[in-house]
């Protein structure tokens, strides 16, 4: 699972394209509590917790764990600003999902 991405000024991932054509990435959000954790929502209704490194130019993104949470695309991911590991996701099947991620600080360390 590899791809290219572009970070905007607000540090939220705005564009991500999977090179192997697996699926469309609809949203991604870096964790405010871990410099290497990234939540990604895709067109298959799956949320991925990923590790990313930006040591040498282009970021290296690797899936850590995936969870299918919806029957439609996951269109938003947002980390809680004060509670580490709490992730809110919304999907096109009109559902809100709250995910608890243990030890996001250890991702990519």
């Amino acid at each position: 699972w590899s791809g290219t991405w572009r970070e905007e000024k607000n540090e939220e991932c705005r564009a991500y394209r999977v090179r192997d054509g697996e699926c469309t990435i609809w949203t991604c959000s870096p964790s405010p509590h871990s410099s290497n954790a990234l939540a990604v929502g895709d067109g298959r209704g799956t949320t991925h917790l990923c590790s990313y490194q930006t040591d040498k130019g282009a970021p290296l993104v690797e899936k850590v764990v995936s969870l299918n949470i919806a029957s439609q695309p996951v269109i938003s991911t947002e980390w809680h600003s004060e509670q580490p590991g709490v992730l809110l996701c919304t999907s096109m099947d009109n559902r809100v999902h709250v995910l608890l991620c243990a030890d996001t600080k250890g991702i990519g360390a």
Side-chain angles (χ1 to χ4, degrees):
W1 200 59
S2 62
T4 57
W5 75 339
R6 180 182 72 243
E7 287 190 49
E8 299 292 332
K9 291 180 183 176
N10 66 0
E11 297 182 8
E12 181 181 347
C13 178
R14 294 290 187 194
Y16 191 92
R17 184 183 66 223
V18 176
R19 287 185 189 156
D20 60 9
E22 227 178 85
C23 63
T24 301
I25 301 301
W26 283 70
T27 181
C28 57
S29 303
S31 170
H33 305 285
S34 172
S35 60
N36 297 324
L38 179 71
V40 176
D42 73 17
R44 294 184 180 154
T46 303
T47 297
H48 309 276
L49 183 58
C50 300
S51 166
Y52 71 99
Q53 303 289 330
T54 56
D55 295 336
K56 298 176 184 177
L60 171 65
V61 180
E62 298 177 325
K63 279 193 256 186
V64 175
V65 66
S66 299
L67 182 64
N68 188 272
I69 61 170
S71 61
Q72 297 290 320
V74 175
I75 57 173
S76 69
T77 54
E78 186 67 37
W79 293 95
H80 194 287
S81 61
E82 297 175 11
Q83 298 294 321
V86 178
L87 178 67
L88 180 77
C89 305
T90 60
S91 56
M92 291 188 77
D93 57 4
N94 297 322
R95 294 187 177 168
V96 175
H97 312 269
V98 178
L99 306 177
L100 303 177
C101 308
D103 192 25
T104 56
K105 290 185 180 181
I107 294 175

